[in-house]
Amino acid sequence: MIIGIDLGTTNSLVGTLDKGRPKLFKGEDGSSLVPSVVEFTESGETRVGALAKQSQKDNLKRTIYSAKRFMGRGLSDVKDWIKLLPFDFSESSEQMVRFKVGQRSYTPMEIGAMVLRKLKSMAESESGQTVDKAVITVPAYFNDAQRQATKFAGELAGLEVVRIVNEPTAACLAYGLDKKAFGNIAVFDLGGGTFDISILRVADGVFEVLATNGNTALGGDDFDHAIAQELANKIVEQSGWDPKTDTQVMAGIVLEAESLKRKLSDIESVQWRWMNPSLPKGQVEILITRTEIETWIRPIVEKAKEPCLQCLKDAGLKPHQITDAILVGGSTRVPLVRKLVQEIFRREPICTLNPDEVVAIGAAVQANILSGQISGMLLLDVIPLSLGIETMGGVVGKIIHRNSTIPISASETFTTYVDGQTSVDIHILQGERELVKDNRSLSRFQLRGLPPLPAGIPKIEVEFIIDANGILNVKATEIRTSTTASICVNPSYGLTDSEVEKMLFDSFENAESDFEERFLIEARVEADSLIRATQKSLLKGKELVSQEEFLQIEKAVESLQTSVTGRDRKLIKEKIEALGETTKHMAELILNQAVQEALQGKKI
Ligand code: AMP
């Protein structure tokens, strides 16, 4: 049996299809929702899920939650969040975040694996079967490092991860939207820690993700923190005591905020009673209304708007062309969020399935497809940012463009720049900008052992292969000699969402100046190689041309050299052409001489 797993920031679920019907497995507490929380008790016991969540308030330093936010990330990527969390981080977290519990430290993958192991055992005990394969979902915006980290967590838990699926794609499957003849579907997924918006097209039973966008640092947790800050202000107003001075107390208030938020999704107001020995009267009682929390969380909710508009734009659609809007994730129960979705896509969103379960059900459907029980359904996903390599002059040669459907492979042929070059550096980049310095460096590797040929002669094919899980393999081959080198892009620390957003935003903002810069660099590279080639030819050609012609060529070379130091691209191009003209005659003479030499001594 292959199980489908939704490994969530706040809660995780596991399911399968039982005679074609989705079935979610339940834990000891009878709920299918397993809090993604792990507690390490003083006595050395590890508790996962509901039990860990129950005692969280009393064991804040030894209870890890929201670990998904840290998957595939370094400490510098997440420094803004960690201030808000009550547990500690190990100092050696630059490349990979590590949670510090007592004398031990744990990676987000290990915490993820503990949650996954729990889900695996729930499935095993309820089904009575051994489970060793799983489909795991991730936010569509997860980059390569984050996907690899998730896969690794699965392996640590003893599960072969047969497919990593984007959460919104799974949601479409759960709603059986493959049965629609045609539709443009917006999947709005706001969970505890991440926001994804995807636009999928379904036609004759085939899904295609047209575009994805989102924010990996936006979710219900942010609502909780914003509400907690306001609750603390109210406590100060009423009692004069400021709970913000005590991080442990504040962490408790964040939990209170979460529970108030849930209640206010259904009712208009709540009389909130909070007790603490530091309060002058030992407790406070405050009336909190839905309207009030809506003002507090509105700036956070609004952050979801821009990615939606960008996603529509990338999909080439206008809001009225959206045929269905689906809600996914616990935070879409917030009435203000639903209003926003309706406003953007101009239609009432569908929420007939439980928004917490939609993704897990979709994962179960996908697992069923992979185990060969359902056939004839094709799922296509897209990559969120373009991928390419560094070429001469610090310019990016894009090989796979953003929003290309995966799995995909594409290749480009490059050559060498210097005579006799025996190795080339392949620098893999991710992003939308034209210049290397403005993109994210993913990895580097070298192709060695090239035959020492003149510049421009070797043919080096660089192939990018992205598998169905969105994991990138890069292979470089020198075609004549079949020398190859390859790399699977390793999990380094990840990309924060604000970086992804910034990279996209900057690429639109700077498109014109970027192209200008790129053309300038290309002109300089062309000029440089023409100067080298001319200087090389002059060694032979000097004897063949007149002194006057020789001086003219030298002058044209100097003039081109001077133009390269400036930023006038047109001038460089003019000087390139002028040098080309000036050397034409010499080139003919060299060629004639070469032909004569070749014919010498040869008889017909
Ligand atoms: P997920 O990551 O999809 O499990 O979503 C969890 C998030 O949904 C958490 O931030 C919860 O606080 C939030 N959530 C769950 N139920 C509700 C509700 N009834 N109203 C508002 N938010 C909710």
Side-chain angles (χ1 to χ4, degrees), residues 22-329:
K23 172 185 168 56
L24 296 175
F25 296 106
K26 294 193 169 67
E28 316 85 4
D29 60 346
S31 165
S32 56
L33 229 53
V34 176
S36 309
V37 181
V38 178
E39 181 196 8
F40 300 94
T41 66
E42 292 281 0
S43 61
E45 198 192 335
T46 306
R47 293 186 187 151
V48 182
L51 276 179
K53 181 145 193 200
Q54 264 164 30
S55 47
Q56 188 176 0
K57 269 190 203 170
D58 310 315
N59 204 5
L60 288 168
K61 286 257 174 232
R62 305 183 69 92
T63 308
I64 311 294
Y65 61 93
S66 286
K68 181 174 169 181
R69 284 195 169 207
F70 301 95
M71 284 278 194
R73 293 181 157 190
L75 208 52
S76 56
D77 293 330
V78 292
K79 54 183 178 306
D80 292 342
W81 301 329
I82 60 175
K83 288 181 228 141
L84 301 166
L85 295 167
F87 40 85
D88 295 327
F89 291 83
S90 155
E91 269 139 38
S92 60
S93 295
E94 228 16 81
Q95 289 290 312
M96 170 92 65
V97 168
R98 282 172 194 278
F99 310 109
K100 190 162 178 279
V101 183
Q103 297 303 309
R104 284 208 54 179
S105 74
Y106 299 91
T107 62
M109 275 110 77
E110 286 171 289
I111 302 294
M114 289 172 195
V115 176
L116 289 169
R117 220 172 279 132
K118 164 99 189 164
L119 300 171
K120 176 178 183 283
S121 80
M122 275 161 58
E124 285 179 336
S125 59
E126 207 175 322
S127 70
Q129 292 180 41
T130 316
V131 173
D132 52 12
K133 289 195 175 99
V135 166
I136 305 182
T137 59
V138 295
Y141 239 74
F142 256 28
N143 67 10
D144 194 67
Q146 293 165 304
R147 281 165 201 264
Q148 298 248 25
T150 307
K151 204 166 174 215
F152 186 58
E155 282 158 18
L156 283 178
L159 287 166
E160 181 194 337
V161 182
V162 286
R163 184 66 61 89
I164 298 269
V165 185
N166 284 343
E167 289 163 7
T169 308
C172 270
L173 272 183
Y175 272 108
L177 289 172
D178 52 299
K179 291 171 192 89
K180 243 180 128 96
F182 179 84
N184 292 319
I185 307 149
V187 183
F188 186 101
D189 179 351
L190 189 62
T194 50
F195 167 57
D196 283 307
I197 175 71
S198 303
I199 297 177
L200 296 94
R201 171 162 296 163
V202 60
D204 299 325
V206 178
F207 284 117
E208 185 182 2
V209 183
L210 296 180
T212 67
N213 212 306
N215 187 335
T216 47
L218 177 68
D221 295 354
D222 302 307
F223 297 166
D224 304 345
H225 288 289
I227 296 169
Q229 291 296 319
E230 298 293 340
L231 293 179
N233 292 341
K234 289 205 172 256
I235 293 169
V236 182
E237 259 172 46
Q238 209 181 83
S239 70
W241 181 69
D242 189 355
K244 279 184 262 178
T245 52
D246 186 330
T247 45
Q248 299 248 359
V249 172
M250 267 317 278
I253 295 183
V254 172
L255 298 178
E256 290 284 321
E258 203 261 349
S259 137
L260 273 174
K261 171 189 75 175
R262 283 174 185 256
K263 287 182 187 143
L264 291 170
S265 289
D266 299 323
I267 51 176
E268 292 292 334
S269 65
V270 172
Q271 190 67 30
W272 180 54
R273 192 153 160 242
W274 186 67
M275 288 184 276
N276 189 286
S278 303
L279 291 166
K281 291 185 189 160
Q283 68 167 51
V284 284
E285 233 184 278
I286 305 167
L287 180 77
I288 312 285
T289 65
R290 182 190 289 172
T291 322
E292 222 169 0
I293 73 155
E294 285 188 347
T295 15
W296 300 339
I297 64 170
R298 188 178 297 273
I300 305 167
V301 174
E302 295 265 328
K303 280 193 194 170
K305 196 168 175 177
E306 202 45 51
C308 290
L309 299 179
Q310 187 59 49
C311 195
L312 273 169
K313 206 167 156 194
D314 286 343
L317 296 174
K318 297 269 178 272
H320 72 267
Q321 291 173 293
I322 295 294
T323 53
D324 308 82
I326 303 178
L327 294 183
V328 180

